[in-house]
Amino acid sequence: MINQENLFNIKQELGDSVKLIAVSKKQPDEKVSSILSLGHHVLGENYVQALVDRHEKFKNQQVEWHMIGHLQTNKVKYIAPFIHLIHGVDSFKLLKTIDKEAAKNNRIIACLLQLHIAKEGTKYGLDQQGLNELLSMPDLSGLKNIRICGLMGMATFTNDPEQVRGEFKYLKSVFDELKSSHFKLNPEFKELSMGMSDDYKIAVEEGSTMVRIGTSIFGQRNY
Ligand SMILES: *Cc1c(COP(=O)(O)O)cnc(C)c1O
């Protein structure tokens, strides 16, 4: 079972303007059933295989599935039929593949571009230059089956809240800059996915619109 009170409190805290993605990775199926029965249907996984398995298992529960981990181009096809949002897009090649697979499924797939904001930790994500290069690719506007809906980032794993705050502030500033320039005419560019169990409060203060929370809802993961 999951802690209903925790879930309720977190949702209360986030209010209506910040979306909660409950990260069910490495959690038992019973906990997924449990959160679904409490009425929360927005879930995130970081492995394609887990997404595919769980999508199948919980098919008749209308789960909104989020891919929050690093995605390899050769695996996009497995999630393209059902994925709601891909958070960690960090190359044009990946974006092109998502577009192709989305088209095969007659879908438009929402994506977030992942920016590398941490000092250490994850090695994934674009730097500012890579982001600008991606956005200036001449072929980008030809990708009709993807929709870039915002940015995603992960802060450094540290006990220093000011470090974390600075990284989130930076991500928000890049987001705001793009929103008023490259995406000026794209109202769907509006999501900022930042914040996990340990740092979501700071992320929300700094303008997050989506938090990805695992352990604070489900408890420690089984590895
Ligand atoms: C695992 C994971 C989370 C959730 O982490 P918690 O600390 O358990 O809340 C969030 N985002 C990503 C990308 C993850 O891989």
Side-chain angles (χ1 to χ4, degrees):
M1 288 295 282
I2 69 158
N3 188 325
Q4 177 169 8
E5 206 170 295
N6 266 2
L7 177 67
F8 182 81
N9 288 340
I10 290 172
K11 281 198 160 180
Q12 187 96 326
E13 224 181 326
L14 296 175
D16 292 331
S17 53
V18 182
K19 185 166 192 162
L20 173 64
I21 295 146
V23 178
S24 54
K25 70 178 185 198
K26 303 270 195 306
Q27 301 285 355
D29 284 344
E30 298 77 71
K31 290 194 179 180
V32 176
S33 301
S34 168
I35 197 167
L36 292 173
S37 70
L38 293 172
H40 185 84
H41 292 255
V42 182
L43 298 178
E45 290 280 344
N46 66 338
Y47 285 108
V48 165
Q49 193 58 51
L51 273 171
V52 170
D53 290 349
R54 291 208 148 146
H55 169 255
E56 187 57 36
K57 207 165 275 173
F58 297 98
K59 217 171 190 159
N60 43 26
Q61 306 242 22
Q62 308 213 321
V63 180
E64 181 185 304
W65 287 109
H66 290 243
M67 173 59 181
I68 62 167
H70 183 69
L71 180 57
Q72 292 169 290
T73 50
N74 61 343
K75 301 220 168 131
V76 174
K77 57 176 177 281
Y78 301 115
I79 60 171
F82 65 87
I83 199 72
H84 181 80
L85 176 62
I86 299 175
H87 289 236
V89 177
D90 62 358
S91 74
F92 187 66
K93 184 174 159 230
L94 180 57
L95 215 45
K96 254 171 49 182
T97 307
I98 295 169
D99 180 69
K100 190 180 79 187
E101 297 298 333
K104 281 187 197 165
N105 286 280
N106 243 316
R107 301 187 65 212
I108 292 172
I109 296 183
C111 299
L112 303 179
L113 300 177
Q114 182 174 1
L115 206 63
H116 189 273
I117 57 171
K119 272 246 160 57
E120 9 83 2
T122 173
K123 56 184 180 296
Y124 299 118
L126 296 150
D127 58 16
Q128 178 93 55
Q129 190 189 341
L131 179 67
N132 292 339
E133 281 170 13
L134 188 154
L135 292 175
S136 57
M137 294 296 275
D139 296 345
L140 184 62
S141 59
L143 306 184
K144 303 296 186 202
N145 292 78
I146 52 124
R147 186 170 288 144
I148 300 175
C149 294
L151 301 179
M152 179 264 204
M154 287 168 86
T156 303
F157 186 69
T158 168
N159 290 326
D160 178 5
E162 290 318 304
Q163 165 96 26
V164 171
R165 187 179 298 280
E167 292 168 359
F168 286 151
K169 266 194 203 306
Y170 168 69
L171 185 58
K172 175 68 157 71
S173 73
V174 176
F175 173 79
D176 286 341
E177 207 280 313
L178 288 177
K179 204 167 164 48
S180 62
S181 57
H182 191 278
F183 291 99
K184 201 171 175 173
L185 302 175
N186 301 57
E188 69 265 21
F189 186 86
K190 60 180 168 58
E191 305 296 351
L192 191 50
S193 169
M194 60 184 195
M196 310 173 31
S197 291
D198 287 342
D199 58 19
Y200 75 88
K201 292 177 200 216
I202 301 175
V204 169
E205 285 167 11
E206 297 304 331
S208 172
T209 68
M210 283 184 174
V211 293
R212 310 172 310 268
I213 300 183
T215 43
S216 287
I217 293 171
F218 292 107
Q220 290 301 317
R221 286 180 277 274
N222 309 311
Y223 284 103

